[in-house]
Each structure stands twice: as C-alpha cells, then as structure tokens.
Amino acid sequence: MGNPCNDMADPRPHILVVGGTEYCLGSFDGKRVEYDFSKVLAYLDAKGRSLFGESFKIREGDKGTFLKLCSYMVKDIESCRKMEMDIGKGILLTGPVGCGKTSMMRLVRHLVPHKRNYEIIPSRNITFAFNHIGYKIIEDYGNGRFYCFDDLGVEPMGRYFGDDCNVMGEVLVSRHELFQRTKIPTHITTNLNAEELEERYGKRVRSRMRQMFNLISFDKDTKDKRI
C-alpha cells in the first residue's frame, strides 16, 4: 500500500492514537504518506478492540477485503487501479449475514480522521422515517452529505398516507443525480447479490448503481462472526 495523502494540516498524519498508544501507519515525507499495510492492520486491530470490545480481531480471511477498503480510504490510486477500483466512486460492500460488513465500514473510516467522512445510517431507519414524515426524507438523504447506507435490502416497503414507496430505491436515484452533479460518493453494505438487488430495486436503479459503486464482496462461504 502506498501513495498519496496530500493537503495535510496535521503535521503527523501517519500517526494515529488508540487508548494513549501511538500507531505509525507508514512514512511521511512532509507531503504524502506511504502506508504500510501491516502497520495499518495493527492500528485497525487495536481500534477495532476499542470500538467493538476485546473479542474483536482481524481474521486472516478478511485481510484481502481490508486491503481493498483501506486502499480506497487513503486514496491509493495505483493500488486501487490494480484492484480495478475507481476512487471517484463509492463502495458497495456485499456479503453474507454476520460477516462483518458494518463493522468494517465503521472501522476503516478512522484511517482518515483528517478527511470529511461518512455517516452510517441503517436503511430500515430511513424507511421508518419516511412512514412518519413522507417524501421529504428522500430529499433529505439525496442531499450533499456523505452517507453509508447499512443493510440495504432488509428494509420494508415504505408507506405514507396510503401510498407505497420503494424508499431506498428512490434515495439511490437521488444519490445518483447528486453523484453526477457533484461526484459526492455514497457507500452501501448489503447481504444481497447483484441479481437480488435488481429484483428488489429494479433495472433503472441497478444500472445507476453500476455507475456509482465499486463492488467489494466477501466470499459467500464466509462464516457468521456473531455465532
């Protein structure tokens, strides 16, 4: 892992602290950070324990997924290109129930505290809010803020004053329009595969998602870490 982190106000952007302990993520020449993935993993392991409890650990089988997410987060253009990822797009993180998608997205954003980061919102919460407030919710989540929509596909159909609405489908259409105008990315976690997403949200949303996201997938045989 290498490459750039420019425009840093922090004199030590390669040093992050967890519980009073400093973790060096690589080398810094005054203009950019050259990240060392093994050091990044050591930091993430410690940060994960502080966020999720002492039982947290980065499993060997997850390191490839972490490498992709970390390369994306630090905008390592060369590594992302090799892994066929576009740093201008968002992340669509897919995998079985309990494989750790949400925890990963909560964790890797701490790698870049100096950058504007995303808020993680459960998709079902957006639908529940729509049921109470109505179509303003779609407008609100289609705005210029940074979001990661968590557990896309498990939310129910929305209903407001008798009108049914595929709320997250409409939110994604709005986010696509925002992406085209501003290049502000959206991130998603989901248990659904590409075919299931198309069945749930339709061809027009699936087509837009191809333009918006880098697909990162856990192996379908990944075990449930909650068990």
Side-chain angles (χ1 to χ4, degrees):
M1 257 178 93
N3 237 5
C5 270
N6 298 316
D7 302 322
M8 305 248 186
D10 185 348
R12 299 198 309 163
H14 61 310
I15 305 291
L16 296 178
V17 179
V18 181
T21 301
E22 290 189 347
Y23 289 84
C24 177
L25 306 187
S27 59
F28 181 51
D29 66 4
K31 294 183 179 180
R32 66 185 208 169
V33 175
E34 190 76 18
Y35 288 91
D36 182 322
F37 185 54
S38 63
K39 294 179 178 180
V40 169
L41 283 181
Y43 163 75
L44 291 175
D45 195 60
K47 187 65 178 179
R49 290 195 301 275
S50 75
L51 291 173
F52 310 122
E54 287 301 317
S55 62
F56 175 86
K57 65 178 179 178
I58 294 177
R59 299 168 189 255
E60 188 65 32
D62 292 340
K63 288 182 179 179
T65 306
F66 269 111
L67 176 60
K68 290 180 180 180
L69 287 174
C70 293
S71 297
Y72 174 87
M73 288 295 161
V74 303
K75 304 303 182 191
D76 183 340
I77 297 173
E78 184 177 344
S79 292
C80 286
R81 187 182 295 120
K82 289 178 180 177
M83 292 182 281
E84 299 183 338
M85 294 194 300
D86 181 344
I87 62 170
K89 296 182 179 182
I91 294 294
L92 175 60
L93 185 59
T94 73
V97 172
C99 67
K101 299 181 295 295
T102 305
S103 297
M104 276 192 175
M105 293 304 290
R106 287 180 60 190
L107 181 55
V108 295
R109 59 183 174 172
H110 291 279
L111 271 179
V112 285
H114 51 281
K115 293 185 179 180
R116 185 181 177 189
N117 231 316
Y118 52 86
E119 182 180 359
I120 298 177
I121 307 290
S123 296
R124 65 181 182 278
N125 289 9
I126 298 174
T127 298
F128 295 155
F130 172 87
N131 294 344
H132 289 285
I133 299 172
Y135 289 88
K136 184 178 183 300
I137 285 297
I138 295 171
E139 180 182 336
D140 289 346
Y141 284 101
N143 67 19
R145 296 179 65 180
F146 288 72
Y147 292 113
C148 173
F149 298 129
D150 191 33
D151 267 346
L152 183 75
V154 303
E155 77 281 354
M157 183 69 71
R159 171 166 279 218
Y160 184 68
F161 280 97
D163 289 336
D164 288 336
C165 179
N166 191 328
V167 178
M168 288 308 301
E170 294 302 320
V171 168
L172 289 172
V173 170
S174 295
R175 296 297 297 187
H176 177 260
E177 293 172 356
L178 176 72
F179 177 67
Q180 287 189 308
R181 292 196 317 269
T182 67
K183 299 304 179 184
I184 291 176
T186 303
H187 305 312
I188 283 174
T189 73
T190 183
N191 303 328
L192 305 184
N193 60 33
E195 292 74 21
E196 290 167 332
L197 286 168
E198 183 169 318
E199 183 178 346
R200 180 75 167 78
Y201 299 104
K203 288 185 178 181
R204 71 168 184 149
V205 172
R206 178 65 187 130
S207 175
R208 286 163 171 78
M209 291 177 75
R210 290 190 186 97
Q211 299 174 29
M212 293 170 65
F213 298 109
N214 296 290
L215 177 62
I216 299 177
S217 300
F218 281 83
D219 189 282
K220 60 182 176 57
D221 297 322
T222 303
K223 293 181 179 179
D224 190 336
K225 298 180 177 69
R226 299 170 186 161
I227 296 175

